[in-house]
mmCIF file of all heavy atoms in Angstrom:
data_model
loop_
_atom_site.group_PDB
_atom_site.id
_atom_site.type_symbol
_atom_site.label_atom_id
_atom_site.label_comp_id
_atom_site.label_asym_id
_atom_site.label_seq_id
_atom_site.Cartn_x
_atom_site.Cartn_y
_atom_site.Cartn_z
ATOM 1 N N HIS A 1056 -43.229 195.034 -58.810
ATOM 2 C CA HIS A 1056 -42.961 195.857 -57.626
ATOM 3 C C HIS A 1056 -43.793 195.384 -56.433
ATOM 4 O O HIS A 1056 -43.305 195.377 -55.294
ATOM 5 C CB HIS A 1056 -43.259 197.317 -57.936
ATOM 6 C CG HIS A 1056 -42.270 197.962 -58.872
ATOM 7 N ND1 HIS A 1056 -40.904 197.866 -58.710
ATOM 8 C CD2 HIS A 1056 -42.451 198.699 -59.995
ATOM 9 C CE1 HIS A 1056 -40.295 198.515 -59.678
ATOM 10 N NE2 HIS A 1056 -41.209 199.025 -60.481
ATOM 11 N N ALA A 1057 -45.040 195.008 -56.684
ATOM 12 C CA ALA A 1057 -45.891 194.528 -55.595
ATOM 13 C C ALA A 1057 -45.342 193.238 -54.998
ATOM 14 O O ALA A 1057 -45.359 193.049 -53.769
ATOM 15 C CB ALA A 1057 -47.314 194.317 -56.097
ATOM 16 N N TYR A 1058 -44.837 192.361 -55.854
ATOM 17 C CA TYR A 1058 -44.246 191.118 -55.342
ATOM 18 C C TYR A 1058 -42.986 191.420 -54.526
ATOM 19 O O TYR A 1058 -42.765 190.823 -53.472
ATOM 20 C CB TYR A 1058 -43.912 190.176 -56.492
ATOM 21 C CG TYR A 1058 -43.290 188.872 -56.032
ATOM 22 C CD1 TYR A 1058 -44.093 187.837 -55.569
ATOM 23 C CD2 TYR A 1058 -41.908 188.691 -56.053
ATOM 24 C CE1 TYR A 1058 -43.524 186.646 -55.131
ATOM 25 C CE2 TYR A 1058 -41.338 187.504 -55.622
ATOM 26 C CZ TYR A 1058 -42.154 186.487 -55.173
ATOM 27 O OH TYR A 1058 -41.592 185.311 -54.738
ATOM 28 N N GLY A 1059 -42.170 192.348 -55.008
ATOM 29 C CA GLY A 1059 -40.982 192.725 -54.249
ATOM 30 C C GLY A 1059 -41.327 193.322 -52.896
ATOM 31 O O GLY A 1059 -40.644 193.081 -51.897
ATOM 32 N N ASP A 1060 -42.411 194.107 -52.841
ATOM 33 C CA ASP A 1060 -42.834 194.684 -51.562
ATOM 34 C C ASP A 1060 -43.284 193.603 -50.585
ATOM 35 O O ASP A 1060 -43.075 193.726 -49.372
ATOM 36 C CB ASP A 1060 -43.970 195.683 -51.786
ATOM 37 C CG ASP A 1060 -43.514 196.918 -52.549
ATOM 38 O OD1 ASP A 1060 -42.290 197.178 -52.551
ATOM 39 O OD2 ASP A 1060 -44.352 197.616 -53.127
ATOM 40 N N ARG A 1061 -43.921 192.540 -51.107
ATOM 41 C CA ARG A 1061 -44.347 191.460 -50.221
ATOM 42 C C ARG A 1061 -43.167 190.701 -49.624
ATOM 43 O O ARG A 1061 -43.313 190.059 -48.579
ATOM 44 C CB ARG A 1061 -45.251 190.483 -50.977
ATOM 45 C CG ARG A 1061 -46.613 191.051 -51.336
ATOM 46 C CD ARG A 1061 -47.588 189.946 -51.717
ATOM 47 N NE ARG A 1061 -47.133 189.187 -52.861
ATOM 48 C CZ ARG A 1061 -47.434 189.493 -54.122
ATOM 49 N NH1 ARG A 1061 -48.182 190.556 -54.388
ATOM 50 N NH2 ARG A 1061 -46.992 188.743 -55.115
ATOM 51 N N MET A 1062 -42.012 190.772 -50.276
ATOM 52 C CA MET A 1062 -40.823 190.095 -49.751
ATOM 53 C C MET A 1062 -40.082 190.930 -48.718
ATOM 54 O O MET A 1062 -39.149 190.443 -48.081
ATOM 55 C CB MET A 1062 -39.876 189.739 -50.899
ATOM 56 C CG MET A 1062 -40.464 188.771 -51.913
ATOM 57 S SD MET A 1062 -40.973 187.204 -51.162
ATOM 58 C CE MET A 1062 -39.392 186.589 -50.584
ATOM 59 N N LEU A 1063 -40.473 192.175 -48.531
ATOM 60 C CA LEU A 1063 -39.859 193.028 -47.525
ATOM 61 C C LEU A 1063 -40.421 192.695 -46.147
ATOM 62 O O LEU A 1063 -41.470 192.054 -46.028
ATOM 63 C CB LEU A 1063 -40.110 194.497 -47.856
ATOM 64 C CG LEU A 1063 -39.498 195.016 -49.158
ATOM 65 C CD1 LEU A 1063 -39.940 196.453 -49.399
ATOM 66 C CD2 LEU A 1063 -37.984 194.910 -49.130
ATOM 67 N N PRO A 1064 -39.742 193.105 -45.074
ATOM 68 C CA PRO A 1064 -40.291 192.880 -43.724
ATOM 69 C C PRO A 1064 -41.666 193.518 -43.578
ATOM 70 O O PRO A 1064 -41.881 194.660 -43.987
ATOM 71 C CB PRO A 1064 -39.256 193.531 -42.802
ATOM 72 C CG PRO A 1064 -37.976 193.516 -43.591
ATOM 73 C CD PRO A 1064 -38.387 193.700 -45.023
ATOM 74 N N GLN A 1065 -42.579 192.772 -43.003
ATOM 75 C CA GLN A 1065 -43.961 193.223 -42.827
ATOM 76 C C GLN A 1065 -44.184 193.586 -41.357
ATOM 77 O O GLN A 1065 -44.015 192.753 -40.466
ATOM 78 C CB GLN A 1065 -44.943 192.127 -43.251
ATOM 79 C CG GLN A 1065 -44.754 191.651 -44.687
ATOM 80 C CD GLN A 1065 -45.031 192.743 -45.697
ATOM 81 O OE1 GLN A 1065 -46.038 193.458 -45.582
ATOM 82 N NE2 GLN A 1065 -44.163 192.870 -46.693
ATOM 83 N N LEU A 1066 -44.561 194.837 -41.130
ATOM 84 C CA LEU A 1066 -44.814 195.333 -39.781
ATOM 85 C C LEU A 1066 -46.314 195.377 -39.552
ATOM 86 O O LEU A 1066 -47.062 195.903 -40.381
ATOM 87 C CB LEU A 1066 -44.213 196.726 -39.609
ATOM 88 C CG LEU A 1066 -44.368 197.379 -38.218
ATOM 89 C CD1 LEU A 1066 -43.586 196.592 -37.167
ATOM 90 C CD2 LEU A 1066 -43.905 198.830 -38.257
ATOM 91 N N SER A 1067 -46.749 194.813 -38.429
ATOM 92 C CA SER A 1067 -48.179 194.784 -38.127
ATOM 93 C C SER A 1067 -48.410 195.131 -36.663
ATOM 94 O O SER A 1067 -47.598 194.800 -35.788
ATOM 95 C CB SER A 1067 -48.774 193.403 -38.439
ATOM 96 O OG SER A 1067 -48.158 192.401 -37.651
ATOM 97 N N LEU A 1068 -49.506 195.818 -36.433
ATOM 98 C CA LEU A 1068 -49.923 196.208 -35.087
ATOM 99 C C LEU A 1068 -51.329 195.678 -34.861
ATOM 100 O O LEU A 1068 -52.234 195.917 -35.665
ATOM 101 C CB LEU A 1068 -49.898 197.733 -34.942
ATOM 102 C CG LEU A 1068 -50.351 198.300 -33.589
ATOM 103 C CD1 LEU A 1068 -49.368 197.906 -32.496
ATOM 104 C CD2 LEU A 1068 -50.480 199.820 -33.665
ATOM 105 N N ASN A 1069 -51.502 194.943 -33.786
ATOM 106 C CA ASN A 1069 -52.814 194.391 -33.485
ATOM 107 C C ASN A 1069 -53.110 194.553 -32.008
ATOM 108 O O ASN A 1069 -52.196 194.650 -31.180
ATOM 109 C CB ASN A 1069 -52.891 192.904 -33.883
ATOM 110 C CG ASN A 1069 -51.809 192.079 -33.197
ATOM 111 O OD1 ASN A 1069 -51.924 191.739 -32.022
ATOM 112 N ND2 ASN A 1069 -50.741 191.760 -33.929
ATOM 113 N N GLY A 1070 -54.358 194.596 -31.682
ATOM 114 C CA GLY A 1070 -54.753 194.751 -30.286
ATOM 115 C C GLY A 1070 -56.250 194.582 -30.137
ATOM 116 O O GLY A 1070 -56.977 194.406 -31.119
ATOM 117 N N SER A 1071 -56.695 194.633 -28.935
ATOM 118 C CA SER A 1071 -58.121 194.520 -28.639
ATOM 119 C C SER A 1071 -58.540 195.726 -27.811
ATOM 120 O O SER A 1071 -57.826 196.153 -26.886
ATOM 121 C CB SER A 1071 -58.408 193.227 -27.866
ATOM 122 O OG SER A 1071 -57.728 193.202 -26.629
ATOM 123 N N VAL A 1072 -59.679 196.248 -28.154
ATOM 124 C CA VAL A 1072 -60.210 197.380 -27.390
ATOM 125 C C VAL A 1072 -60.556 196.890 -25.983
ATOM 126 O O VAL A 1072 -60.759 195.683 -25.752
ATOM 127 C CB VAL A 1072 -61.453 197.961 -28.090
ATOM 128 C CG1 VAL A 1072 -61.084 198.522 -29.435
ATOM 129 C CG2 VAL A 1072 -62.529 196.892 -28.235
ATOM 130 N N PRO A 1073 -60.582 197.782 -25.014
ATOM 131 C CA PRO A 1073 -60.918 197.344 -23.655
ATOM 132 C C PRO A 1073 -62.219 196.549 -23.609
ATOM 133 O O PRO A 1073 -63.264 196.997 -24.083
ATOM 134 C CB PRO A 1073 -61.029 198.667 -22.890
ATOM 135 C CG PRO A 1073 -60.140 199.603 -23.640
ATOM 136 C CD PRO A 1073 -60.260 199.204 -25.083
ATOM 137 N N ASN A 1074 -62.102 195.340 -23.081
ATOM 138 C CA ASN A 1074 -63.253 194.441 -22.953
ATOM 139 C C ASN A 1074 -63.822 194.588 -21.535
ATOM 140 O O ASN A 1074 -63.184 194.200 -20.551
ATOM 141 C CB ASN A 1074 -62.815 193.011 -23.229
ATOM 142 C CG ASN A 1074 -63.974 192.036 -23.178
ATOM 143 O OD1 ASN A 1074 -65.143 192.432 -23.211
ATOM 144 N ND2 ASN A 1074 -63.660 190.758 -23.074
ATOM 145 N N TYR A 1075 -64.991 195.141 -21.460
ATOM 146 C CA TYR A 1075 -65.595 195.442 -20.148
ATOM 147 C C TYR A 1075 -66.671 194.418 -19.832
ATOM 148 O O TYR A 1075 -67.486 194.057 -20.686
ATOM 149 C CB TYR A 1075 -66.200 196.850 -20.163
ATOM 150 C CG TYR A 1075 -66.955 197.204 -18.907
ATOM 151 C CD1 TYR A 1075 -66.285 197.591 -17.753
ATOM 152 C CD2 TYR A 1075 -68.353 197.150 -18.880
ATOM 153 C CE1 TYR A 1075 -66.981 197.918 -16.595
ATOM 154 C CE2 TYR A 1075 -69.055 197.483 -17.741
ATOM 155 C CZ TYR A 1075 -68.362 197.860 -16.596
ATOM 156 O OH TYR A 1075 -69.050 198.173 -15.467
ATOM 157 N N SER A 1076 -66.650 193.931 -18.582
ATOM 158 C CA SER A 1076 -67.677 192.992 -18.122
ATOM 159 C C SER A 1076 -68.048 193.342 -16.677
ATOM 160 O O SER A 1076 -67.200 193.777 -15.885
ATOM 161 C CB SER A 1076 -67.174 191.543 -18.200
ATOM 162 O OG SER A 1076 -66.080 191.338 -17.316
ATOM 163 N N ARG A 1077 -69.294 193.108 -16.368
ATOM 164 C CA ARG A 1077 -69.798 193.392 -15.014
ATOM 165 C C ARG A 1077 -70.698 192.242 -14.581
ATOM 166 O O ARG A 1077 -71.551 191.798 -15.343
ATOM 167 C CB ARG A 1077 -70.585 194.711 -14.995
ATOM 168 C CG ARG A 1077 -71.032 195.146 -13.596
ATOM 169 C CD ARG A 1077 -71.752 196.489 -13.683
ATOM 170 N NE ARG A 1077 -72.076 197.015 -12.359
ATOM 171 C CZ ARG A 1077 -73.131 196.687 -11.643
ATOM 172 N NH1 ARG A 1077 -74.016 195.788 -12.136
ATOM 173 N NH2 ARG A 1077 -73.346 197.211 -10.455
ATOM 174 N N GLN A 1078 -70.459 191.771 -13.358
ATOM 175 C CA GLN A 1078 -71.234 190.667 -12.835
ATOM 176 C C GLN A 1078 -71.361 190.787 -11.312
ATOM 177 O O GLN A 1078 -70.615 191.530 -10.671
ATOM 178 C CB GLN A 1078 -70.586 189.326 -13.204
ATOM 179 C CG GLN A 1078 -69.147 189.192 -12.708
ATOM 180 C CD GLN A 1078 -68.495 187.904 -13.159
ATOM 181 O OE1 GLN A 1078 -69.183 186.944 -13.485
ATOM 182 N NE2 GLN A 1078 -67.172 187.874 -13.156
ATOM 183 N N ILE A 1079 -72.299 190.045 -10.784
ATOM 184 C CA ILE A 1079 -72.506 189.980 -9.322
ATOM 185 C C ILE A 1079 -71.893 188.689 -8.812
ATOM 186 O O ILE A 1079 -72.228 187.598 -9.290
ATOM 187 C CB ILE A 1079 -74.005 190.037 -8.971
ATOM 188 C CG1 ILE A 1079 -74.648 191.297 -9.580
ATOM 189 C CG2 ILE A 1079 -74.204 190.020 -7.460
ATOM 190 C CD1 ILE A 1079 -74.088 192.595 -9.077
ATOM 191 N N VAL A 1080 -70.975 188.827 -7.865
ATOM 192 C CA VAL A 1080 -70.280 187.659 -7.328
ATOM 193 C C VAL A 1080 -70.614 187.499 -5.842
ATOM 194 O O VAL A 1080 -70.964 188.461 -5.137
ATOM 195 C CB VAL A 1080 -68.759 187.790 -7.516
ATOM 196 C CG1 VAL A 1080 -68.402 187.834 -8.992
ATOM 197 C CG2 VAL A 1080 -68.216 189.020 -6.803
ATOM 198 N N ASN A 1081 -70.455 186.259 -5.391
ATOM 199 C CA ASN A 1081 -70.695 185.906 -4.002
ATOM 200 C C ASN A 1081 -69.380 185.965 -3.250
ATOM 201 O O ASN A 1081 -68.440 185.236 -3.558
ATOM 202 C CB ASN A 1081 -71.314 184.510 -3.922
ATOM 203 C CG ASN A 1081 -71.677 184.133 -2.497
ATOM 204 O OD1 ASN A 1081 -71.684 184.971 -1.596
ATOM 205 N ND2 ASN A 1081 -71.973 182.862 -2.282
ATOM 206 N N VAL A 1082 -69.299 186.841 -2.260
ATOM 207 C CA VAL A 1082 -68.075 187.023 -1.479
ATOM 208 C C VAL A 1082 -68.324 186.520 -0.054
ATOM 209 O O VAL A 1082 -69.249 186.979 0.629
ATOM 210 C CB VAL A 1082 -67.639 188.496 -1.460
ATOM 211 C CG1 VAL A 1082 -66.357 188.661 -0.644
ATOM 212 C CG2 VAL A 1082 -67.439 189.008 -2.889
ATOM 213 N N VAL A 1083 -67.494 185.558 0.381
ATOM 214 C CA VAL A 1083 -67.622 185.001 1.731
ATOM 215 C C VAL A 1083 -66.872 185.901 2.707
ATOM 216 O O VAL A 1083 -65.692 186.209 2.515
ATOM 217 C CB VAL A 1083 -67.072 183.569 1.789
ATOM 218 C CG1 VAL A 1083 -67.190 183.006 3.210
ATOM 219 C CG2 VAL A 1083 -67.796 182.677 0.790
ATOM 220 N N GLN A 1084 -67.537 186.316 3.738
ATOM 221 C CA GLN A 1084 -66.952 187.192 4.731
ATOM 222 C C GLN A 1084 -66.196 186.386 5.791
ATOM 223 O O GLN A 1084 -66.383 185.163 5.921
ATOM 224 C CB GLN A 1084 -68.052 188.024 5.393
ATOM 225 C CG GLN A 1084 -68.832 188.886 4.416
ATOM 226 C CD GLN A 1084 -67.938 189.877 3.698
ATOM 227 O OE1 GLN A 1084 -67.203 190.619 4.342
ATOM 228 N NE2 GLN A 1084 -67.991 189.884 2.366
ATOM 229 N N PRO A 1085 -65.327 187.040 6.583
ATOM 230 C CA PRO A 1085 -64.574 186.311 7.629
ATOM 231 C C PRO A 1085 -65.468 185.600 8.652
ATOM 232 O O PRO A 1085 -65.094 184.561 9.206
ATOM 233 C CB PRO A 1085 -63.739 187.420 8.277
ATOM 234 C CG PRO A 1085 -63.579 188.444 7.197
ATOM 235 C CD PRO A 1085 -64.863 188.420 6.446
ATOM 236 N N ASP A 1086 -66.619 186.131 8.891
ATOM 237 C CA ASP A 1086 -67.504 185.494 9.866
ATOM 238 C C ASP A 1086 -68.354 184.377 9.252
ATOM 239 O O ASP A 1086 -69.230 183.804 9.905
ATOM 240 C CB ASP A 1086 -68.417 186.535 10.515
ATOM 241 C CG ASP A 1086 -69.257 187.287 9.481
ATOM 242 O OD1 ASP A 1086 -69.105 186.988 8.265
ATOM 243 O OD2 ASP A 1086 -70.033 188.162 9.864
ATOM 244 N N GLY A 1087 -68.095 184.064 7.978
ATOM 245 C CA GLY A 1087 -68.832 182.998 7.321
ATOM 246 C C GLY A 1087 -70.056 183.456 6.571
ATOM 247 O O GLY A 1087 -70.674 182.663 5.846
ATOM 248 N N SER A 1088 -70.442 184.676 6.732
ATOM 249 C CA SER A 1088 -71.609 185.171 5.994
ATOM 250 C C SER A 1088 -71.228 185.450 4.537
ATOM 251 O O SER A 1088 -70.041 185.530 4.185
ATOM 252 C CB SER A 1088 -72.146 186.433 6.663
ATOM 253 O OG SER A 1088 -71.155 187.469 6.648
ATOM 254 N N GLN A 1089 -72.211 185.599 3.741
ATOM 255 C CA GLN A 1089 -72.015 185.846 2.318
ATOM 256 C C GLN A 1089 -72.735 187.125 1.903
ATOM 257 O O GLN A 1089 -73.843 187.384 2.352
ATOM 258 C CB GLN A 1089 -72.550 184.672 1.485
ATOM 259 C CG GLN A 1089 -71.851 183.356 1.764
ATOM 260 C CD GLN A 1089 -72.415 182.230 0.915
ATOM 261 O OE1 GLN A 1089 -73.362 182.441 0.161
ATOM 262 N NE2 GLN A 1089 -71.831 181.044 1.036
ATOM 263 N N ILE A 1090 -72.060 187.850 1.074
ATOM 264 C CA ILE A 1090 -72.677 189.041 0.508
ATOM 265 C C ILE A 1090 -72.464 189.026 -1.012
ATOM 266 O O ILE A 1090 -71.488 188.447 -1.510
ATOM 267 C CB ILE A 1090 -72.103 190.343 1.115
ATOM 268 C CG1 ILE A 1090 -70.591 190.469 0.814
ATOM 269 C CG2 ILE A 1090 -72.362 190.416 2.609
ATOM 270 C CD1 ILE A 1090 -70.011 191.794 1.233
ATOM 271 N N PHE A 1091 -73.354 189.633 -1.680
ATOM 272 C CA PHE A 1091 -73.256 189.732 -3.134
ATOM 273 C C PHE A 1091 -72.818 191.153 -3.486
ATOM 274 O O PHE A 1091 -73.436 192.127 -3.061
ATOM 275 C CB PHE A 1091 -74.596 189.409 -3.787
ATOM 276 C CG PHE A 1091 -75.012 187.975 -3.592
ATOM 277 C CD1 PHE A 1091 -75.778 187.605 -2.493
ATOM 278 C CD2 PHE A 1091 -74.608 187.006 -4.493
ATOM 279 C CE1 PHE A 1091 -76.155 186.285 -2.312
ATOM 280 C CE2 PHE A 1091 -74.986 185.680 -4.315
ATOM 281 C CZ PHE A 1091 -75.753 185.316 -3.223
ATOM 282 N N THR A 1092 -71.745 191.222 -4.235
ATOM 283 C CA THR A 1092 -71.169 192.526 -4.576
ATOM 284 C C THR A 1092 -70.903 192.584 -6.080
ATOM 285 O O THR A 1092 -70.567 191.565 -6.716
ATOM 286 C CB THR A 1092 -69.862 192.772 -3.804
ATOM 287 O OG1 THR A 1092 -69.346 194.064 -4.120
ATOM 288 C CG2 THR A 1092 -68.823 191.725 -4.155
ATOM 289 N N PRO A 1093 -71.049 193.725 -6.675
ATOM 290 C CA PRO A 1093 -70.761 193.843 -8.121
ATOM 291 C C PRO A 1093 -69.248 193.786 -8.386
ATOM 292 O O PRO A 1093 -68.442 194.301 -7.600
ATOM 293 C CB PRO A 1093 -71.356 195.198 -8.496
ATOM 294 C CG PRO A 1093 -71.354 195.979 -7.231
ATOM 295 C CD PRO A 1093 -71.585 194.983 -6.115
ATOM 296 N N LEU A 1094 -68.893 193.166 -9.479
ATOM 297 C CA LEU A 1094 -67.490 193.052 -9.886
ATOM 298 C C LEU A 1094 -67.378 193.508 -11.334
ATOM 299 O O LEU A 1094 -68.059 193.009 -12.225
ATOM 300 C CB LEU A 1094 -67.007 191.606 -9.760
ATOM 301 C CG LEU A 1094 -65.549 191.352 -10.203
ATOM 302 C CD1 LEU A 1094 -64.573 192.099 -9.301
ATOM 303 C CD2 LEU A 1094 -65.256 189.858 -10.195
ATOM 304 N N GLN A 1095 -66.514 194.474 -11.560
ATOM 305 C CA GLN A 1095 -66.306 195.031 -12.895
ATOM 306 C C GLN A 1095 -64.876 194.737 -13.344
ATOM 307 O O GLN A 1095 -63.927 195.019 -12.607
ATOM 308 C CB GLN A 1095 -66.567 196.540 -12.898
ATOM 309 C CG GLN A 1095 -67.959 196.927 -12.420
ATOM 310 C CD GLN A 1095 -68.156 198.429 -12.362
ATOM 311 O OE1 GLN A 1095 -67.406 199.183 -12.970
ATOM 312 N NE2 GLN A 1095 -69.165 198.878 -11.633
ATOM 313 N N GLN A 1096 -64.749 194.152 -14.534
ATOM 314 C CA GLN A 1096 -63.437 193.785 -15.075
ATOM 315 C C GLN A 1096 -63.236 194.449 -16.433
ATOM 316 O O GLN A 1096 -64.167 194.544 -17.240
ATOM 317 C CB GLN A 1096 -63.312 192.268 -15.229
ATOM 318 C CG GLN A 1096 -63.384 191.495 -13.926
ATOM 319 C CD GLN A 1096 -63.242 190.000 -14.148
ATOM 320 O OE1 GLN A 1096 -63.135 189.524 -15.270
ATOM 321 N NE2 GLN A 1096 -63.242 189.244 -13.063
ATOM 322 N N THR A 1097 -62.017 194.870 -16.671
ATOM 323 C CA THR A 1097 -61.640 195.461 -17.955
ATOM 324 C C THR A 1097 -60.303 194.865 -18.392
ATOM 325 O O THR A 1097 -59.324 194.895 -17.631
ATOM 326 C CB THR A 1097 -61.513 196.988 -17.854
ATOM 327 O OG1 THR A 1097 -62.744 197.537 -17.359
ATOM 328 C CG2 THR A 1097 -61.201 197.596 -19.217
ATOM 329 N N THR A 1098 -60.275 194.303 -19.572
ATOM 330 C CA THR A 1098 -59.037 193.732 -20.121
ATOM 331 C C THR A 1098 -58.772 194.343 -21.493
ATOM 332 O O THR A 1098 -59.698 194.624 -22.271
ATOM 333 C CB THR A 1098 -59.143 192.207 -20.259
ATOM 334 O OG1 THR A 1098 -60.251 191.876 -21.104
ATOM 335 C CG2 THR A 1098 -59.337 191.553 -18.894
ATOM 336 N N SER A 1099 -57.521 194.536 -21.798
ATOM 337 C CA SER A 1099 -57.106 195.068 -23.105
ATOM 338 C C SER A 1099 -55.716 194.550 -23.419
ATOM 339 O O SER A 1099 -54.953 194.176 -22.517
ATOM 340 C CB SER A 1099 -57.121 196.606 -23.105
ATOM 341 O OG SER A 1099 -56.253 197.106 -22.110
ATOM 342 N N SER A 1100 -55.380 194.544 -24.700
ATOM 343 C CA SER A 1100 -54.073 194.040 -25.124
ATOM 344 C C SER A 1100 -53.621 194.783 -26.375
ATOM 345 O O SER A 1100 -54.431 195.329 -27.139
ATOM 346 C CB SER A 1100 -54.127 192.542 -25.412
ATOM 347 O OG SER A 1100 -55.009 192.270 -26.479
ATOM 348 N N LEU A 1101 -52.308 194.777 -26.575
ATOM 349 C CA LEU A 1101 -51.688 195.434 -27.724
ATOM 350 C C LEU A 1101 -50.438 194.654 -28.099
ATOM 351 O O LEU A 1101 -49.648 194.285 -27.226
ATOM 352 C CB LEU A 1101 -51.341 196.884 -27.403
ATOM 353 C CG LEU A 1101 -50.752 197.722 -28.546
ATOM 354 C CD1 LEU A 1101 -51.793 197.918 -29.649
ATOM 355 C CD2 LEU A 1101 -50.273 199.076 -28.022
#
């Protein structure tokens, strides 16, 4: 029976929990000056 079950269609669900990252990036302003601002990113998939 176990072998027969393995021959049936197999349904699987996979994903990644939200991946959070935070960093300080250099942003160039229109006047040419630079400022450092925090950047927060969150990615997830299913």
Side-chain angles (χ1 to χ4, degrees):
H1056 289 312
Y1058 180 82
D1060 293 339
R1061 290 196 300 270
M1062 298 302 297
L1063 296 175
Q1065 303 296 314
L1066 181 65
S1067 61
L1068 178 67
N1069 57 78
S1071 61
V1072 296
N1074 183 15
Y1075 175 79
S1076 64
R1077 185 178 186 277
Q1078 58 184 338
I1079 304 298
V1080 297
N1081 184 12
V1082 180
V1083 179
Q1084 301 300 307
D1086 58 359
S1088 62
Q1089 298 180 357
I1090 62 173
F1091 294 90
T1092 182
L1094 178 64
Q1095 303 177 18
Q1096 297 180 357
T1097 304
T1098 58
S1099 59
S1100 63
L1101 183 66

